[in-house]
């Protein structure tokens, strides 16, 4: 689509006035592509993100824990479907997006490529992984694309339930036996650094940030959000009685923030490029679920076609 100067001026005025861009509005092709990619990656992350925790649903230690975990994992499915719908308002095709996911052409958050080795991981994922997701997503409630921003409002409400259930689970374990406390600490040791990587590469190495900020898709840089998450998490860890595996983590009174150690960016690159501990397993599982569901999609399409035919005949 060629850029009509009047349409472009309208788009730019909408962004400058902090108004929302809606599906009826013309947008530059770059904005549309960036938005579809971001929403699709987010949707894929919600869907793939069910897998690590699904591992513990049948082994939750009590009916109460099982009910909480089931509800949480179902929420994530809902987030994924909600977001695919938001992507469709930009002309994306849901079947195509799923195809891109199962063929490895579109990414999802690298955090879900780590295994869940103990039940404490359910608590730590809620606390740190959903916590990091909240840090990322609260500013997205003011993102310039209306359907995405509105989706984030609801998603963030549910994410805060996820974070609380995780923290409450860890509180319970920390007031249990030494073995339970050790299990929590061991889990925190594994998840802390990957959680910090959830905010993406450092600002100097994040080529799309400037454009996304100019379009008000993004409101803060990766490093700003990462710092916010560290500052928020340290007092929570102290209250819980666990430590983070970082000898350089300390309060910096001058900056008014916690300093923290260097992140191993080669690990993030390795995991993003498909070589994390569970990448192949996660995508294979999703592909199989998609193939197993083919008959449901076929049946629904046949049913809709039959009704359309009958209506046309009537
Ligand atoms: Fe979610
Ligand atoms: Fe969540």
């Amino acid at each position: 689509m060629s850029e009509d100067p009047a349409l472009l001026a309208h788009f730019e005025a909408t962004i400058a006035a902090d108004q929302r861009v809606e599906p009826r509005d013309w947008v530059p092709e770059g904005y549309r592509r960036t938005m579809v990619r971001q929403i699709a990656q987010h949707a894929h992350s919600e869907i793939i993100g069910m897998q690590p925790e699904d591992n513990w649903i049948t082994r939750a230690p009590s009916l109460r824990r099982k009910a909480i975990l089931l509800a949480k994992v179902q929420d994530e499915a809902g987030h994924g479907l909600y977001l695919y719908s938001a992507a469709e308002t930009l002309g994306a095709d849901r079947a195509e997006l799923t195809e891109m996911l199962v063929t490895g052409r579109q990414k999802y958050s690298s955090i879900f490529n780590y295994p869940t080795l103990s039940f404490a991981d359910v608590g730590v994922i809620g606390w740190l992984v959903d916590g990091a997701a909240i840090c990322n997503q609260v500013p997205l409630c003011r993102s310039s694309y209306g359907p995405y921003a509105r989706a984030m409002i609801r998603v963030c409400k549910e994410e805060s339930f996820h974070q609380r259930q995780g923290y409450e689970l860890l509180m319970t374990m920390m007031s249990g036996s030494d073995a339970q406390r050790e299990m929590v600490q061991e889990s925190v040791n594994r998840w802390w650094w990957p959680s910090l990587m959830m905010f993406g590469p450092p600002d100097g190495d994040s080529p799309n940030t400037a454009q996304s900020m100019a379009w008000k898709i993004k409101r803060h840089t990766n490093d700003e959000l990462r710092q916010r998450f560290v500052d928020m998490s340290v007092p929570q860890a102290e209250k819980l009685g666990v430590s983070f595996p970082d000898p350089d983590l300390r309060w910096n009174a001058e900056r008014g923030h916690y300093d923290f150690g260097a992140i191993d960016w080669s690990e993030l690159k390795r995991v993003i490029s498909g070589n994390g501990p569970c990448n192949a397993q996660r995508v294979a599982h999703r592909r199989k679920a998609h193939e197993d569901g083919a008959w449901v999609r076929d049946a629904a399409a046949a049913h809709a076609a039959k009704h359309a035919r009958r209506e046309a005949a009537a």
Side-chain angles (χ1 to χ4, degrees), residues 36-46 106-109:
V36 168
R37 192 183 54 229
Q38 178 167 339
I39 298 175
Q41 282 184 8
H42 190 165
H44 298 331
S45 302
E46 303 281 0
Q106 246 171 10
K107 308 273 183 222
Y108 53 89
S109 178

Side-chain angles (χ1 to χ4, degrees), residues 57-72:
I57 290 175
T58 55
R59 293 183 285 158
S62 69
L63 181 59
R64 178 170 175 266
R65 291 295 170 197
K66 188 189 291 230
I68 294 171
L69 185 54
L70 261 178
K72 195 243 182 200

Side-chain angles (χ1 to χ4, degrees), residues 206-221:
S206 177
N208 300 324
T209 292
Q211 181 62 75
S212 287
M213 302 258 295
W215 277 332
K216 297 184 183 172
I217 292 172
K218 239 171 131 160
R219 297 284 181 160
H220 307 280
T221 70

Side-chain angles (χ1 to χ4, degrees), residues 190 295 309:
R190 279 183 290 112
W295 70 272
R309 261 199 320 273

Side-chain angles (χ1 to χ4, degrees), residues 65 122-128 160-174 232-242:
R65 291 295 170 197
V122 170
V124 172
I125 287 175
W127 173 35
L128 295 179
S160 93
F161 155 66
H162 299 169
Q163 202 211 12
R164 280 161 204 212
Q165 67 83 32
Y167 198 71
E168 190 264 349
L169 166 53
L170 297 178
M171 272 291 188
T172 306
M173 288 185 80
M174 290 304 285
M232 188 177 96
S233 300
V234 173
Q236 292 171 352
E238 282 167 3
K239 187 122 190 10
L240 205 53
V242 296

